[in-house]
Amino acid sequence: DAGVTQSPTHLIKTRGQQVTLRCSPKSGHDTVSWYQQALGQGPQFIFQYYEEEERQRGNFPDRFSGHQFPNYSSELNVNALLLGDSALYLCASSQDRAVIGYTFGSGTRLTVV
Amino acid sequence: GEDVEQSLFLSVREGDSSVINCTYTDSSSTYLYWYKQEPGAGLQLLTYIFSNMDMKQDQRLTVLLNKKDKHLSLRIADTQTGDSAIYFCAETSYSSASKIIFGSGTRLSIRP
């Protein structure tokens, strides 16, 4: 049984560009959350999607947006990239609000130059 | 506000016990967690404790919760080289049930 799959694994972008990261949740999970983990820091909550809608959002600017598709997969979009957006982006899936059952993917390492 | 703090590094001898400590500020925390992150990998949930408990044991892992002092600890008995990783303390609360608040992580190093 595949867990959470994220793509790509690594990405290098130039400041000012836009990026899209993708996440396929674990089978049976319908909720997807995105986290940003800067180097040497703990993950920070970006937002959560359930039933194709953003249910809760952390303290991130509007440059960060997302989408959830009918098959529960999700995308994270970041516009006007800044050097400070360089981080590991983690996707986690769960069944509805079951934070105990969170399964994390291995992440996408984004480097902005 | 919500904040979780933990020390950055811990070095222990193989076979000894490791104790990783954490403090948090949110008095409405419901669940408190310990996650493990190995290089190049995502986060693995090691164990969790509900806020109305003060201790939980799971094989080599013992979690202690002092709700009065908002202090959480993780004890790993008989520490092995495979336990080398970064350990994150985290919490959720009634007010923000969908998101997990993480500490900055404690890097556990095992010496022979």
Side-chain angles (χ1 to χ4, degrees):
Chain A
D1 176 30
V4 177
T5 305
Q6 292 188 242
S7 63
T9 53
H10 295 85
L11 201 52
I12 300 175
K13 288 287 190 178
T14 303
R15 191 172 45 183
Q17 284 189 314
Q18 179 262 346
V19 69
T20 297
L21 310 182
R22 294 177 176 83
C23 172
S24 292
K26 182 178 178 179
S27 177
H29 287 182
D30 57 9
T31 303
V32 173
S33 303
W34 286 93
Y35 288 78
Q36 180 195 65
Q37 185 179 13
L39 199 60
Q41 300 295 317
Q44 290 200 309
F45 178 77
I46 303 175
F47 41 54
Q48 182 180 86
Y49 276 84
Y50 173 70
E51 292 188 339
E52 301 180 48
E53 292 201 357
E54 183 182 292
R55 180 156 67 181
Q56 189 172 356
R57 188 178 183 92
N59 189 24
F60 279 80
D62 292 344
R63 298 186 297 108
F64 288 77
S65 63
H67 189 77
Q68 186 179 35
F69 300 93
N71 67 352
Y72 308 122
S73 67
S74 177
E75 288 181 349
L76 164 65
N77 301 292
V78 187
N79 294 322
L81 284 166
L82 303 174
L83 297 180
D85 295 330
S86 295
L88 180 69
Y89 288 84
L90 294 164
C91 172
S93 70
S94 62
Q95 287 182 319
D96 198 355
R97 294 178 185 270
V99 289
I100 296 298
Y102 258 36
T103 300
F104 279 87
S106 298
T108 295
R109 172 74 63 188
L110 172 65
T111 303
V112 182
V113 297
Chain B
E2 310 147 331
D3 195 19
V4 177
E5 293 194 0
Q6 47 185 133
S7 54
L8 293 180
F9 299 101
L10 177 66
S11 176
V12 299
R13 194 185 308 274
E14 187 176 2
D16 287 353
S17 291
S18 306
V19 180
I20 304 172
N21 294 301
C22 163
T23 57
Y24 59 97
T25 58
D26 191 348
S27 56
S28 68
S29 292
T30 51
Y31 286 100
L32 294 121
Y33 312 85
W34 285 103
Y35 279 85
K36 178 182 181 182
Q37 187 175 41
E38 296 179 272
L43 294 167
Q44 174 196 353
L45 177 64
L46 282 179
T47 187
Y48 65 93
I49 188 168
F50 192 55
S51 58
N52 68 352
M53 298 169 63
D54 51 20
M55 187 181 96
K56 180 178 180 181
Q57 189 150 2
D58 184 2
Q59 299 182 335
R60 292 192 296 124
L61 305 178
T62 303
V63 178
L64 295 178
L65 174 60
N66 181 329
K67 200 171 179 183
K68 174 176 169 289
D69 294 337
K70 299 190 182 69
H71 182 268
L72 183 74
S73 68
L74 173 69
R75 178 177 178 268
I76 306 173
D78 186 25
T79 309
Q80 303 297 309
T81 54
D83 295 323
S84 292
I86 300 176
Y87 291 80
F88 292 95
C89 173
E91 61 98 10
T92 50
S93 67
Y94 286 115
S95 60
S96 56
S98 297
K99 71 178 181 181
I100 301 177
I101 307 297
F102 288 87
S104 295
T106 298
R107 183 178 294 276
L108 176 62
S109 171
I110 315 302
R111 30 179 221 280

